[in-house]
Amino acid sequence: MKKLIMLCVILISVAGLVKAAPSYLITFDEFPLNTLIDDEYAAMGVQFYPGDITGRLPQIDNNGAMPTMPVLRATGEPDFNIYQGDFWIRFTTTAAEVTFDSGYWDAIGAGVINVYDPYMVPLASLTNTTTGVNVTNITGRIGHIHFNSIADGA
């Protein structure tokens, strides 16, 4: 069993005119391993906050399921198994599209990604539809994302 619950690359398109809308790519190789992430990407309009369940920030890590790049993982230990946890992503400028890889999911439906507009109105509640790594693409007026991997067992 490969065990990994993470985000490996986030592609963000900011809301605005199609020709004028900037896009940002976050690969998590911009900072050292084990860095807890909160406002490191604020210049790109992205901030990370502790989860409601674990109260912990995500951190940059390596993992065998994605051996060629660092990942951002939830940090729930010691209360939960490694890679189980939750965290918030906030876009300081409304995002029009957000794409990321998440996984390695051991069970279908174990990951929950809740998406909200800038005013915290729910837009979508997504879950992984397969085991392994899933690609998630979200469109709309995105202000916040809550990433939750608590239900994925070790």
Side-chain angles (χ1 to χ4, degrees):
M1 163 181 54
K2 293 181 182 179
K3 188 61 195 160
L4 166 70
I5 301 297
M6 60 68 194
L7 303 175
C8 68
V9 174
I10 299 177
L11 177 62
I12 304 153
S13 295
V14 177
L17 298 174
V18 175
K19 291 182 181 179
S23 292
Y24 301 101
L25 179 66
I26 297 175
T27 60
F28 303 111
D29 62 358
E30 300 90 352
F31 298 98
L33 293 177
N34 300 315
T35 299
L36 292 174
I37 298 299
D38 55 4
D39 63 357
E40 285 75 7
Y41 296 99
M44 294 181 185
V46 183
Q47 295 176 317
F48 295 83
Y49 291 92
D52 297 337
I53 300 166
T54 62
R56 294 181 179 89
L57 290 166
Q59 79 177 46
I60 296 175
D61 205 350
N62 275 333
N63 194 280
M66 293 274 192
T68 62
M69 64 184 75
V71 300
L72 185 69
R73 73 171 181 92
T75 52
E77 62 276 8
D79 302 316
F80 298 94
N81 293 317
I82 191 166
Y83 303 114
Q84 287 180 308
D86 69 321
F87 59 88
W88 283 92
I89 305 169
R90 178 178 173 258
F91 301 97
T92 57
T93 301
T94 303
E97 181 174 9
V98 178
T99 301
F100 56 85
D101 295 341
S102 69
Y104 188 100
W105 300 105
D106 289 325
I108 293 172
V112 179
I113 300 165
N114 290 315
V115 184
Y116 302 87
D117 79 0
Y119 305 101
M120 292 300 293
V121 174
L123 297 176
S125 184
L126 311 170
T127 189
N128 61 299
T129 56
T130 64
T131 58
V133 177
N134 284 216
V135 177
T136 301
N137 186 47
I138 305 164
T139 59
R141 295 188 47 77
I142 306 160
H144 308 267
I145 296 174
H146 183 244
F147 181 88
N148 182 340
S149 62
I150 295 291
D152 201 53

